[in-house]
Amino acid sequence: MLRSWLLYSPSKKALYCFCCRLFADAETSQSNFDSVNGFNTWWKLNPNVYNQESSVAHVECFTKWKELEIGLQRGVTIDKKVQEEVENNVKKWREILARLLDIIRFLAKQNLALRGHREVIHHETDYEPESTRKKGNFLELVHLLAKYDPVLREHILRIKFGKKFATSYFSPTIQNEFIEILGGKVRSKVVEQVKIAKYFSMIFDSTPDISHKDQMCQVLRYVMINGNEVKVVESFVDFIEIKGKTSESISTVILQQLEKYGIDIQNCRGQAYDNAAVMAGQHTGVQRRIKEINKKAEFVACTNHSLNLAGVHAASVALSSVTFFGTVERLFTFFSSSTHRWDVLISVTGQSVKRVLETRWSARGDATHPHFPPKFGGNKVRLTKRKIRYSKVLQAVEHLTGEEENRVTRSDAGVLLVALQSFSFLCFLGLWESVLKEINDTQVYLQTKRLNIQQCDTKLGALKAFLTENREELVKHSVAYAKEICEDLGIDMDRRSRKKKKMAGEESQDAALPYETELMREMYLSLDRVIQEITTRFQQLHALAEKYAFLTPSHLLDDKYECQLNQDHDDINKEEFLIERKRLKSFLYVAVTQDKKETWKEDSPLELLQFIVKYSLENSVPNIVILLRIFLTIAVSVATCERSFSKLKLIKNHLRSTMSAMRLGNMAILSIEHQLSEEIDFDDVINDFANRK
């Protein structure tokens, strides 16, 4: 017979009557089942159990127990009001904290400061000075929402009219705790996704902030499969303040960060850094040190930085090219150094000029574009319009040489006018506009998110082919454009040069080339340098693309194409991979044949992986899936880090230059990964906050 009132205590090694333990008084405590010491005379268990069960005291306690149980179920106990008050109080504070968390998340997403000059809500009896009426964004938003939200309105009124030291959760310390918890939630989500994906690439780049501290951005790239959705993700993790500048110290910081989040470095399949020697050095660079730990971590120098360096080196190979970009830079300096000069430029030309920056991608193209040289292969109408616009730039400079201008302006404008009206300047203006237009188009493409090494190699190959095939036409077109401008504007096309003094005993003299031929030689030299730089700097990328070329659907599904699997592909079973090729080809044929809506036009590994996941074929072709994930994981650019630097400048500006590293990292991840921050469950955040207290 089951007796619910009878309990056994392992620690006391005795039996207890549960209801008597709760409700027995002093008179019944000395019964057979002592409510303090229990019952352990086992040889007297029968009939003491029956005697206890039939005793008057036990029946009374049992009745009280059941009455309490029924009262708790119905909610009619004596402390019902107290319980309701506690529950209502908890609910009220959860609603208040949820609103405060939402305000902080909004401000972090918009890169706005939370605090103002004074973070104080004055008591109603106190005098509020003028300097504290304009508070920070956080408190101002709280007051704004309180006009329409009764929960916040009641909370603020309780602070003003209640106790002088009432709990508000508005203090900067509480704000920091909220930011830390919210940022930690987003970071934990990113790390969790990386661990689920297993394979990842790490992207690191650094820049100095407003307080002259070197901030290194950490981004992880991985393939996320969520249901039928497959996408390549580059997630921001944190900003790391680095002290050392050596490859050893930076490598140590990187490994410590991965260990901090529990990410295994052996699952790393790619590295992407800029072209600095400390990062990309072949012998002692960071990429080399990481590869000694994990040989499968393929290094790819940032394609955007490499292409920018190719243009920088090509622009400095010829003297006339260096002079051309120097003139463009002086033009910007001349107009931007005075508001009056800038107004003249805008009024005459209707446009501004840009400066030349070696470190900023596409800066040289933006600097040459406002001068309106002709497009390569442009028609006569476009040429005429662009000649008119170029003449307006000259007109703006000529206007500043008038007698009404001061001495410095007239002198600088005169020197600049001579430089602009030179045959060599116009030749290189036509050349670099056409070349930089194609380079800038490639730069924009290489900054596209989720690109793989095959797509980058194809685009760079197309750029190289364009420059190689149109080498003669580009130079001839530039010279023809320069001649036409000189004839229309009356610019002298001859070079003024002094005679070279012969040394004693010198008899022979080199035959000097005509001026036009010499300029063409320098333009050919610049073009050849661009082609050479592209070939050399992207040789490693091309080799890596060739290594994984068999993963393109056109090769993978072609029986005649032989897949060369080397020792680096030890993540899979090579024999099973060959069998899975035929199996996948059959799957694809049946899917396209039976489903009229299913078409296969994309020659992309990502499209192939999406097809496999769409039809749930992961278990049928697991080795192909692994190779596709590894291929798509390899990073090709640090453009994501560069985008995060834009957020860094917005978050840590000159008004917030003393921001701590922890607050900076958490504010940055809430802003950059705002989609993940929108998915945060505030109940979990409030529970974590309560546990801290």
Side-chain angles (χ1 to χ4, degrees):
M1 181 177 178
L2 180 62
R3 293 176 171 84
S4 59
W5 56 268
L6 190 60
L7 302 177
Y8 175 73
S9 171
S11 61
K12 296 288 187 178
K13 296 181 180 180
L15 289 176
Y16 285 87
C17 176
F18 179 68
C19 55
C20 293
R21 172 79 173 177
L22 292 179
F23 299 101
D25 51 20
E27 296 179 357
T28 59
S29 62
Q30 301 299 327
S31 62
N32 293 329
F33 282 78
D34 188 357
S35 59
V36 178
N37 300 320
F39 178 85
N40 57 6
T41 54
W42 309 109
W43 59 92
K44 297 182 180 180
L45 192 61
N46 186 10
N48 283 338
V49 172
Y50 300 102
N51 296 335
Q52 173 70 15
E53 194 172 25
S54 60
S55 65
V56 177
H58 173 80
V59 172
E60 291 179 357
C61 293
F62 188 85
T63 303
K64 293 179 181 180
W65 176 32
K66 291 303 176 182
E67 289 177 352
L68 176 62
E69 184 178 356
I70 295 172
L72 289 173
Q73 293 176 354
R74 295 181 177 178
V76 292
T77 55
I78 192 172
D79 60 344
K80 175 186 176 182
K81 297 296 182 182
V82 178
Q83 290 295 331
E84 289 180 352
E85 184 178 352
V86 171
E87 293 175 359
N88 292 334
N89 198 30
V90 171
K91 181 181 179 181
K92 179 198 72 173
W93 281 113
R94 282 187 172 273
E95 291 177 348
I96 293 173
L97 293 179
R99 285 158 173 77
L100 299 183
L101 289 170
D102 221 351
I103 292 173
I104 290 177
R105 184 172 62 180
F106 167 77
L107 293 173
K109 177 182 176 182
Q110 299 301 119
N111 309 308
L112 298 174
L114 273 72
R115 305 174 191 170
H117 180 66
R118 291 289 300 275
E119 293 289 295
V120 178
I121 294 183
H122 282 268
H123 197 267
E124 188 66 20
T125 58
D126 294 339
Y127 169 71
E128 185 175 5
E130 182 69 24
S131 60
T132 63
R133 291 181 182 177
K134 292 185 178 181
K135 304 175 179 63
N137 291 326
F138 177 77
L139 288 182
E140 291 294 342
L141 270 179
V142 170
H143 282 81
L144 176 63
L145 294 180
K147 295 180 179 180
Y148 311 99
D149 183 57
V151 176
L152 281 180
R153 187 187 310 121
E154 179 185 355
H155 182 53
I156 292 178
L157 291 177
R158 185 179 60 85
I159 297 173
K160 287 188 174 182
F161 293 97
K163 297 179 180 179
K164 192 168 185 178
F165 299 101
T167 303
S168 66
Y169 292 118
F170 292 158
S171 68
T173 303
I174 298 299
Q175 295 175 24
N176 286 337
E177 292 187 18
F178 285 154
I179 293 171
E180 181 181 354
I181 297 174
L182 289 171
K185 290 290 183 182
V186 178
R187 192 173 290 107
S188 299
K189 182 64 175 178
V190 171
V191 173
E192 180 184 355
Q193 291 178 353
V194 173
K195 291 180 179 179
I196 294 175
K198 184 179 179 179
Y199 303 113
F200 68 94
S201 287
M202 50 188 185
I203 308 172
F204 286 89
D205 198 9
S206 63
T207 187
D209 59 17
I210 193 66
S211 57
H212 309 290
K213 296 180 180 178
D214 204 358
Q215 300 288 349
M216 185 166 65
C217 173
Q218 179 185 6
V219 174
L220 298 180
R221 175 183 170 119
Y222 53 95
V223 177
M224 188 175 69
I225 301 177
N226 185 12
N228 292 331
E229 183 184 10
V230 180
K231 59 181 180 180
V232 180
V233 184
E234 292 183 359
S235 297
F236 172 84
V237 179
D238 204 353
F239 280 122
I240 311 164
E241 184 179 330
I242 56 176
K243 303 292 185 181
K245 298 293 184 179
T246 63
S247 59
E248 182 180 2
S249 61
I250 296 176
S251 301
T252 303
V253 171
I254 292 175
L255 295 175
Q256 288 176 350
Q257 284 295 113
L258 296 178
E259 184 180 359
K260 174 183 176 181
Y261 302 125
I263 301 176
D264 189 1
I265 185 62
Q266 296 302 324
N267 292 329
C268 179
R269 292 297 179 269
Q271 311 173 66
Y273 315 123
D274 58 14
N275 292 71
V278 69
M279 304 297 292
Q282 296 182 358
H283 302 290
T284 60
V286 172
Q287 64 93 8
R288 185 64 183 177
R289 294 178 182 272
I290 298 295
K291 207 160 187 178
E292 290 176 355
I293 300 174
N294 180 11
K295 64 178 182 179
K296 299 179 183 178
E298 299 286 355
F299 168 67
V300 176
C302 176
T303 53
N304 293 101
H305 281 94
S306 299
L307 185 57
N308 182 65
L309 288 175
V312 169
H313 290 176
S316 59
V317 70
L319 177 61
S320 298
S321 179
V322 175
T323 305
F324 164 74
F325 284 108
T327 303
V328 174
E329 177 65 19
R330 290 205 311 271
L331 185 68
F332 171 81
T333 304
F334 173 73
F335 283 110
S336 62
S337 60
S338 169
T339 56
H340 168 65
R341 299 176 188 176
W342 194 265
D343 291 339
V344 171
L345 174 68
I346 299 299
S347 62
V348 175
T349 65
Q351 62 180 351
S352 61
V353 292
K354 304 293 180 65
R355 69 178 311 170
V356 179
L357 293 175
E358 292 189 358
T359 57
R360 181 175 297 173
W361 306 332
S362 305
R364 290 179 179 269
D366 295 338
T368 57
H369 180 69
H371 302 293
F372 301 103
K375 291 185 177 179
F376 178 64
N379 54 33
K380 291 292 184 180
V381 177
R382 289 181 179 177
L383 291 177
T384 304
K385 289 182 178 180
R386 290 179 176 271
K387 284 188 292 186
I388 295 175
R389 293 174 181 175
Y390 173 76
S391 63
K392 287 185 178 181
V393 176
L394 296 180
Q395 182 180 351
V397 179
E398 289 177 349
H399 180 80
L400 294 172
T401 59
E403 296 181 356
E404 66 277 6
E405 304 294 335
N406 59 42
R407 177 177 54 84
V408 176
T409 299
R410 296 178 64 188
S411 173
D412 293 344
V415 174
L416 191 58
L417 191 62
V418 173
L420 290 174
Q421 297 183 100
S422 66
F423 183 59
S424 63
F425 177 86
L426 291 171
C427 286
F428 277 92
L429 180 61
L431 174 69
W432 281 117
E433 198 278 338
S434 301
V435 173
L436 291 175
K437 185 181 186 311
E438 297 298 322
I439 293 179
N440 289 355
D441 178 73
T442 306
Q443 286 277 20
V444 173
Y445 179 81
L446 294 178
Q447 297 174 42
T448 306
K449 296 181 179 179
R450 297 178 288 276
L451 282 183
N452 57 54
I453 53 178
Q454 175 201 5
Q455 295 169 321
C456 292
D457 183 61
T458 303
K459 184 64 175 178
L460 291 167
L463 174 63
K464 179 182 174 182
F466 170 82
L467 297 177
T468 304
E469 294 172 0
N470 298 283
R471 177 175 176 270
E472 299 288 339
E473 289 79 1
L474 285 169
V475 174
K476 293 179 180 179
H477 176 76
S478 301
V479 173
Y481 162 74
K483 286 183 177 180
E484 188 173 355
I485 292 291
C486 291
E487 291 176 358
D488 291 347
L489 301 181
I491 299 175
D492 188 8
M493 290 184 289
D494 295 331
R495 176 178 58 179
R496 298 179 181 177
S497 59
R498 64 181 180 87
K499 294 182 179 180
K500 184 179 179 181
K501 183 179 180 181
K502 292 183 179 181
M503 302 300 293
E506 184 179 1
E507 297 179 356
S508 62
Q509 184 177 5
D510 295 335
L513 295 174
Y515 187 40
E516 179 180 336
T517 306
E518 185 176 347
L519 288 177
M520 293 180 67
R521 182 187 66 82
E522 290 186 343
M523 286 189 284
Y524 282 129
L525 187 62
S526 298
L527 280 177
D528 292 341
R529 184 60 182 270
V530 174
I531 298 172
Q532 177 190 356
E533 289 282 338
I534 293 176
T535 304
T536 305
R537 291 186 178 277
F538 297 103
Q539 185 176 3
Q540 181 186 9
L541 177 69
H542 180 70
L544 199 58
E546 289 292 326
K547 176 182 176 181
Y548 288 96
F550 66 92
L551 287 177
T552 57
S554 59
H555 292 161
L556 188 63
L557 302 175
D558 186 5
D559 295 333
K560 297 180 181 180
Y561 186 85
E562 183 179 358
C563 296
Q564 299 293 336
L565 296 175
N566 52 35
Q567 296 180 353
D568 294 339
H569 299 120
D570 57 356
D571 292 289
I572 64 168
N573 187 311
K574 300 178 178 61
E575 297 178 356
E576 293 182 1
F577 170 78
L578 299 177
I579 299 174
E580 292 175 7
R581 286 184 64 192
K582 300 179 180 179
R583 189 180 301 162
L584 180 61
K585 184 177 180 181
S586 301
F587 283 140
L588 183 61
Y589 175 77
V590 173
V592 175
T593 304
Q594 294 182 354
D595 190 355
K596 300 301 181 182
K597 297 181 180 180
E598 183 69 51
T599 57
W600 188 259
K601 298 180 181 179
E602 297 289 341
D603 193 23
S604 168
L606 179 59
E607 297 290 335
L608 180 60
L609 182 58
Q610 290 174 344
F611 170 82
I612 294 173
V613 173
K614 177 182 178 180
Y615 288 94
S616 302
L617 304 177
E618 300 97 315
N619 295 329
S620 298
V621 288
N623 293 282
I624 294 179
V625 171
I626 290 174
L627 284 177
L628 289 173
R629 286 164 51 201
I630 292 175
F631 172 76
L632 295 172
T633 295
I634 300 176
V636 295
S637 173
V638 298
T640 305
C641 292
E642 298 289 344
R643 295 187 187 99
S644 68
F645 294 156
S646 300
K647 296 290 185 180
L648 173 64
K649 293 180 180 179
L650 294 174
I651 296 172
K652 192 172 182 179
N653 51 36
H654 69 282
L655 294 177
R656 293 188 278 175
S657 59
T658 59
M659 181 183 296
S660 65
M662 180 178 295
R663 182 183 174 93
L664 172 62
N666 291 322
M667 292 287 286
I669 197 171
L670 289 174
S671 175
I672 298 171
E673 300 295 333
H674 57 86
Q675 293 181 347
L676 290 179
S677 67
E678 294 292 337
E679 301 173 2
I680 295 177
D681 186 1
F682 284 159
D683 288 336
D684 293 339
V685 177
I686 293 172
N687 291 337
D688 291 348
F689 177 73
N691 291 333
R692 292 190 176 193
K693 300 303 179 182

